[in-house]
Amino acid sequence: MNASRPVSTRGPLRPSLMLAAVSLLGFGLLYSLAGTGLGRALFPHQATGSLIERDGQVIGSSLVAQPFADDRYFQSRPSAASYDVMALAGSNQARTNPDLRSRIDEARAAVAAREGVAPDAVPGDLVTQSGGGIDPHLSPTAIRIQIARVARARGIEAADVERLVAAHTEAPQFGVLGAPRVNVLQLNLALDAEM
């Protein structure tokens, strides 16, 4: 005689709820808190956005480009996001797009006039946007083309500005990854501090 037992729905429900609770609390909350805490402990400056402070006020981040309009400062790379960190984006225009070509030609002519050089001497990173739209770095070539203007506007010797540029030129990471670069915000702050 086979007596059939009633099927209990309580049996699988409790382990399922426990697995869901452990997963949500363990992986969703505790893992995230541990990762955030470890990051803040090991890399406190980077974990808070690599912020730069002067006189107790945050004036920027070493990770975000800022626009500079005054001739006494090195100009940053153009931004498709208007230097807004909440709108990170490139222009998403293909190389064959006539609007992109037109914009680059106009920017090249403006930079050439501002720096007093021929349009074909203007480096590409002074007229094109980075993929994220807020890249804070320029190539040493793009910085060097601006030295004469900055020195003239500040009334100092170009050699003094060149010395600061050399001191703020970062080598490729680990000596092989990337290209030499200069953080424009940090260079401009060094100019203000020293000159």
Side-chain angles (χ1 to χ4, degrees):
M1 292 195 149
N2 255 343
S4 61
R5 291 188 197 156
V7 178
S8 171
T9 57
R10 246 180 116 199
L13 183 60
R14 184 172 179 209
S16 298
L17 290 175
M18 290 302 294
L19 178 63
V22 167
S23 296
L24 285 173
L25 291 175
F27 299 119
L29 179 64
L30 296 178
Y31 178 77
S32 300
L33 289 175
T36 302
L38 190 62
R40 287 185 78 98
L42 295 176
F43 308 102
H45 180 66
Q46 292 89 338
T48 57
S50 300
L51 299 177
I52 299 173
E53 291 185 24
R54 292 289 185 265
D55 301 324
Q57 282 198 321
V58 175
I59 57 171
S61 168
S62 62
L63 303 175
V64 178
Q66 294 183 8
F68 294 93
D70 195 322
D71 277 347
R72 298 177 317 123
Y73 294 103
F74 287 92
Q75 304 298 310
S76 297
R77 182 177 198 141
S79 172
S82 299
Y83 304 99
D84 180 3
V85 295
M86 300 305 287
L88 295 178
S91 67
N92 291 333
Q93 292 177 324
R95 298 172 120 189
T96 56
N97 187 317
D99 292 339
L100 175 65
R101 179 59 50 204
S102 174
R103 187 188 56 74
I104 288 175
D105 289 342
E106 288 172 15
R108 181 170 280 123
V111 170
R114 182 184 72 213
E115 304 303 340
V117 298
D120 58 345
V122 174
D125 48 343
L126 283 176
V127 295
T128 58
Q129 298 134 345
S130 65
I134 58 168
D135 185 3
H137 296 96
L138 283 177
S139 67
T141 306
I143 291 292
R144 276 194 295 279
I145 205 169
Q146 300 181 62
I147 288 175
R149 173 185 47 82
V150 170
R152 190 172 45 254
R154 287 181 177 263
I156 58 176
E157 294 294 321
D160 293 333
V161 180
E162 287 173 8
R163 182 180 46 77
L164 269 178
V165 167
H168 284 83
T169 300
E170 303 169 27
Q173 192 171 18
F174 307 119
V176 294
L177 298 176
R181 60 202 176 278
V182 179
N183 187 300
V184 178
L185 174 60
Q186 290 177 339
L187 177 59
N188 284 334
L189 290 173
L191 270 170
D192 282 345
E194 221 174 282
M195 309 299 175

